[in-house]
Amino acid sequence: MSINVKEAVKAIREMVPIIDPEDDYLTIAAAEERMAVTHEARQKELHEAHVKLKQLAKALEAARISATRPSTIPSAEEHVTQMNDLDATRLSLAKAINDAEGALAGKEAELTRLKEETRALEMSDPAAEHDLDATALRLAIYKGLGFEPIMDKDGRMSKILVRAEHGDVHLVTLDGSKSDAEYIDMLWRPAKSLPVASD
């Protein structure tokens, strides 16, 4: 659609009286001022949005870090491995405890047996369990003092050899012709200060 130049010029001439350059200038200045205020408000909003965005980014990073498994905490596979190792250790310790308890029971049984044996030994009299030959003991004591009895064929003491200190040997016959005091005197007179005789 083509515009007629004459009509356009005519329309512009008709508008000249109603166009006020000062009023238009004020309108444009007000519009620019409003645009400057709007721009400043938008810049402020944009700055605040950037600040919030940074805060949200930091919060997101903190949340990501807190959601991430720390290096000190084992992974699921490592946790399963550790649990298996702990189970094996627990079974091993249980077996060791069981073995130790068995050994302890054996030692306690052995201790009880040894206590009973000790009690039996303390209550027993070894001397009473053996028949001691009192005659043989007396003869050994006499011989140690230097007196050596000589028995007859009936097993009675008939003579006594007395070993003197200087080495002499005296024979005392026990025929019953003297008193006991005389026989004692006859035995001890040569045996004064006798050392223990050897065989």
Side-chain angles (χ1 to χ4, degrees), residues 99-114:
D99 292 345
E101 287 176 347
L104 178 62
K107 294 295 181 184
E108 287 176 348
E110 184 179 357
L111 178 62
T112 302
R113 180 181 58 80
L114 290 173

Side-chain angles (χ1 to χ4, degrees), residues 14 42 84 118 155:
E14 289 175 357
R42 285 182 183 175
N84 290 337
T118 303

Side-chain angles (χ1 to χ4, degrees), residues 133-172:
D133 188 352
T135 304
L137 284 175
R138 281 195 295 272
L139 290 175
I141 292 170
Y142 294 153
K143 190 172 180 183
L145 292 173
F147 304 102
E148 188 171 344
I150 298 173
M151 313 301 249
D152 62 11
K153 60 182 178 180
D154 296 326
R156 288 180 298 192
M157 197 181 310
S158 61
K159 298 176 184 178
I160 295 180
L161 286 175
V162 181
R163 299 179 189 275
E165 182 181 10
H166 45 74
D168 292 343
V169 177
H170 300 276
L171 180 64
V172 178

Side-chain angles (χ1 to χ4, degrees), residues 53-70:
L53 179 61
K54 286 181 181 178
Q55 292 173 349
L56 289 174
K58 286 181 181 179
L60 176 63
E61 185 63 23
R64 182 180 293 119
I65 291 172
S66 64
T68 304
R69 183 184 299 270

Side-chain angles (χ1 to χ4, degrees), residues 7-195:
E7 289 180 3
V9 170
K10 181 182 177 185
I12 290 172
R13 284 182 183 163
E14 289 175 357
M15 290 180 63
V16 167
I18 61 172
I19 294 177
D20 185 2
E22 186 176 339
D23 188 37
D24 290 341
Y25 171 76
L26 291 175
T27 303
I28 292 171
E32 286 180 352
E33 185 178 346
R34 200 169 329 150
M35 286 177 61
V37 170
T38 304
H39 177 70
E40 187 176 340
R42 285 182 183 175
Q43 288 296 327
K44 185 177 179 183
E45 289 177 4
L46 184 61
H47 176 70
E48 290 175 356
H50 278 123
V51 170
K52 287 183 181 179
L53 179 61
K54 286 181 181 178
Q55 292 173 349
L56 289 174
K58 286 181 181 179
L60 176 63
E61 185 63 23
R64 182 180 293 119
I65 291 172
S66 64
T68 304
R69 183 184 299 270
S71 59
T72 55
I73 297 177
S75 64
E77 294 80 10
E78 291 172 341
H79 178 71
V80 170
T81 302
Q82 288 180 0
M83 291 299 293
N84 290 337
D85 293 343
L86 289 174
D87 282 342
T89 303
R90 181 179 58 81
L91 292 174
S92 176
L93 287 174
K95 182 180 181 308
I97 290 170
N98 192 23
D99 292 345
E101 287 176 347
L104 178 62
K107 294 295 181 184
E108 287 176 348
E110 184 179 357
L111 178 62
T112 302
R113 180 181 58 80
L114 290 173
K115 283 182 178 178
E116 290 175 359
E117 288 180 6
T118 303
R119 193 176 307 111
L121 288 173
E122 288 173 351
M123 295 175 64
S124 69
D125 185 6
E129 295 175 3
H130 301 284
D131 294 330
L132 298 176
D133 188 352
T135 304
L137 284 175
R138 281 195 295 272
L139 290 175
I141 292 170
Y142 294 153
K143 190 172 180 183
L145 292 173
F147 304 102
E148 188 171 344
I150 298 173
M151 313 301 249
D152 62 11
K153 60 182 178 180
D154 296 326
R156 288 180 298 192
M157 197 181 310
S158 61
K159 298 176 184 178
I160 295 180
L161 286 175
V162 181
R163 299 179 189 275
E165 182 181 10
H166 45 74
D168 292 343
V169 177
H170 300 276
L171 180 64
V172 178
T173 303
L174 306 175
D175 54 7
S177 61
K178 295 181 178 39
S179 67
D180 288 346
E182 290 175 320
Y183 280 128
I184 290 171
D185 186 56
M186 290 173 63
L187 290 170
W188 281 107
R189 197 177 316 128
K192 278 193 240 178
S193 303
L194 276 178

